[in-house]
Amino acid sequence: MTDAPEYIPGLAGVPAARSSICLIDGSVGKLQYRGYPIEVLAERCSYEEVAYLLVFGRLPTTTQLDEFRNQMIAERGLKFRIIDLLKTLPESGEPMDALTAAVAAMGMFYKGDHISDPEFLRLSVIRLLAKVPTIVAAWDRIRKGDDPIKPSTELGHAANFLYMLEGKVPTSLAVKVFDVALILHAEHSMNASTFTARVTGSTLTDPYAVVASAIGSLAGPLHGGANEQVLSTLDGISDRSANGIRRWAEDRLARKEKVMGFGHRVYKVKDPRATILQGLATQLFAKFGSTPEYDVAVELETQMADLVGGKGIYPNVDFYSGIVYQKLGIPTDLFTPIFAISRVAGWLAHLLEQLEGNRIFRPTQIWVGEADRAFVSMDERS
Ligand code: ACO
């Protein structure tokens, strides 16, 4: 028997692909999509432009972007049977589960010849980018007993989603803030859900199954689900003085409990997306007033830096996103589905890259069980 390879829990630091989609240097908080700094993309682009960049690998010309936008607008609607499917689900269920179910079902309505057909792939990309927001908004309406709102053919991607929630055209500041939030969440290299997408894609299954599996992975509290828990964490701090917040953090750390919205496998400084989201929060507050959660968050960030900054534990993207979404009037349990609305672009970019030089994922394992055991018949077992 050859020597067993080293086991690396969580595959930390093990390269799973060669990629040119997202560059991160966690030691200095650097994040780039296709080589463009996130700060520039957040300031200068729309989500549609960034999605095009991620999926096709280059910034679009005006004509290319118009065509891409129009194709997405044409694909925003849902088949009535997908809406019927959502209506059969329990209204108390998790929105991420409803989204997984509806996206998986899409594969039955949009069957292609094969994933190797470029036209089928291109159409699948457009459909998934366009319809995932519609599913999330439709589910939110259906569970409340309301009819889904038909997507607009006039509004941009971010504005249309906010419009489909309540039927009101959002303010330009709300649209800008939400659009940037979508850009910031669109891609982040080999995180759990993206790895899931690549593994599923490597089997040459259809893109709807790829995205459905990635959504399931994103739902967990250690990944996308953390953004929903940050607000309840902040609300759970009863003494909101600096001393009270410090004591709360010390108690939590002493019990070895994680503080949601802090820490990252890759970043050992403040996540650059958290910095941008914090800036967006202050823009919203300047216009619409601050929230108690924000003040607690800022103090908690200060105290945590003092307590665990030395271990490289700083706010991640989820720390300020919930505060921003709350101010936009979005229900807390839609925060993770909104992450999925945005991350679809990254998952699809990785699927296309995976297919370029595909080899099915098949890692190995380290056997720790007993081998060659003598079978025990039922009447002799204790
Ligand atoms: N609060 C307190 N301590 C923390 C935190 C935290 N949020 N995160 C890490 N630590 C500590 C751990 O207790 C551990 O300490 P130890 O060495 O003394 O035992 C050390 O830092 C390393 O932590 P791991 O969990 O091993 O780090 P890993 O890289 O595996 O996990 C993760 C990263 C999952 C993000 C982790 O930091 C965490 O659970 N954070 C809270 C959940 C969260 O915010 N998730 C969102 C991440 S961003 C995203 O997915 C979009």
Side-chain angles (χ1 to χ4, degrees):
M1 225 180 177
T2 53
D3 285 347
E6 185 193 357
Y7 168 53
I8 299 175
L11 298 182
V14 177
R18 296 168 76 85
S19 182
S20 62
I21 301 170
C22 180
L23 171 71
I24 305 173
D25 180 346
S27 64
V28 291
K30 177 171 167 176
L31 168 61
Q32 301 189 342
Y33 296 167
R34 300 286 188 186
Y36 298 102
I38 192 67
E39 292 80 4
V40 177
L41 296 174
E43 197 184 320
R44 309 269 307 261
C45 294
S46 63
Y47 174 78
E48 292 95 314
E49 209 173 336
V50 169
Y52 186 103
L53 169 71
L54 287 168
V55 171
F56 301 115
R58 58 187 181 278
L59 286 167
T61 62
T62 310
T63 315
Q64 287 166 334
L65 183 59
D66 283 349
E67 194 187 345
F68 186 61
R69 277 201 171 117
N70 289 335
Q71 287 168 343
M72 277 169 63
I73 288 172
E75 285 292 341
R76 279 180 182 164
L78 299 181
K79 293 205 177 272
F80 76 87
R81 287 211 274 177
I82 295 279
I83 293 176
D84 285 352
L85 180 143
L86 290 172
K87 286 181 178 166
T88 65
L89 301 175
E91 57 274 14
S92 58
E94 287 295 327
M96 285 296 271
D97 292 337
L99 181 59
T100 309
V103 169
M106 277 172 69
M108 300 178 77
F109 291 99
Y110 302 107
K111 288 174 81 68
D113 289 330
H114 195 265
I115 198 158
S116 59
D117 172 4
E119 184 54 14
F120 169 65
L121 259 182
R122 194 191 61 80
L123 272 172
S124 306
V125 165
I126 301 278
R127 281 193 194 114
L128 281 158
L129 285 167
K131 292 185 201 296
V132 166
T134 317
I135 294 170
V136 174
W139 167 252
D140 188 52
R141 307 271 310 168
I142 288 166
R143 68 176 171 164
K144 293 191 292 201
D146 297 327
D147 284 329
I149 291 168
K150 275 201 166 37
S152 158
T153 52
E154 306 296 321
L155 298 172
H157 197 69
N160 175 54
F161 174 72
L162 296 174
Y163 165 74
M164 288 189 295
L165 289 177
E166 298 292 346
K168 290 187 216 124
V169 176
T171 64
S172 55
L173 178 60
V175 173
K176 176 65 193 160
V177 166
F178 190 63
D179 197 45
V180 174
L182 291 182
I183 291 171
L184 297 179
H185 289 84
E187 163 59 11
H188 210 237
S189 79
M190 204 55 64
N191 54 84
S193 58
T194 300
F195 183 47
T196 304
R198 287 193 82 126
V199 171
T200 309
S202 79
T203 70
L204 302 186
T205 186
D206 71 76
Y208 305 98
V210 169
V211 171
S213 65
I215 294 168
S217 171
L218 184 70
L222 293 186
H223 191 11
N227 64 6
E228 295 181 13
Q229 297 192 19
V230 170
L231 279 187
S232 55
T233 300
L234 297 173
D235 287 337
I237 303 179
S238 49
D239 181 349
R240 297 181 159 197
S241 66
N243 281 343
I245 292 170
R246 185 174 183 95
R247 268 196 308 278
W248 179 92
E250 283 171 343
D251 286 353
R252 186 120 185 173
L253 294 170
R255 290 198 304 272
K256 294 251 164 234
E257 282 173 18
K258 296 267 176 74
V259 180
M260 290 294 147
F262 282 87
H264 201 279
R265 173 65 60 79
V266 180
Y267 293 116
K268 298 305 160 203
V269 295
K270 185 168 175 177
D271 184 330
R273 301 167 299 173
T275 306
I276 299 173
L277 279 164
Q278 191 174 7
L280 296 179
T282 52
Q283 282 182 40
L284 278 176
F285 297 154
K287 183 139 178 141
F288 302 114
S290 188
T291 60
E293 285 82 3
Y294 181 67
D295 298 334
V296 178
V298 171
E299 187 56 41
L300 182 59
E301 179 179 344
T302 306
Q303 298 301 339
M304 286 287 284
D306 196 36
L307 292 166
V308 288
K311 284 169 76 176
I313 300 169
Y314 286 96
N316 59 48
V317 66
D318 288 330
F319 192 56
Y320 288 106
S321 64
I323 289 171
V324 167
Y325 296 151
Q326 183 193 44
K327 197 67 200 171
L328 291 175
I330 295 170
T332 306
D333 65 357
L334 292 193
F335 295 175
T336 318
I338 286 170
F339 198 151
I341 287 174
S342 161
R343 188 53 64 86
V344 169
W347 294 330
L348 292 168
H350 278 272
L351 170 64
L352 299 186
E353 189 176 65
Q354 178 65 33
L355 294 175
E356 271 169 24
N358 187 52
R359 187 167 190 206
I360 189 168
F361 277 92
R362 202 340 180 161
T364 185
Q365 63 170 17
I366 293 170
W367 172 251
V368 293
E370 279 181 59
D372 305 325
R373 301 170 79 182
F375 184 77
V376 182
S377 59
M378 186 74 83
D379 54 1
E380 287 170 22
R381 292 177 207 166
S382 53

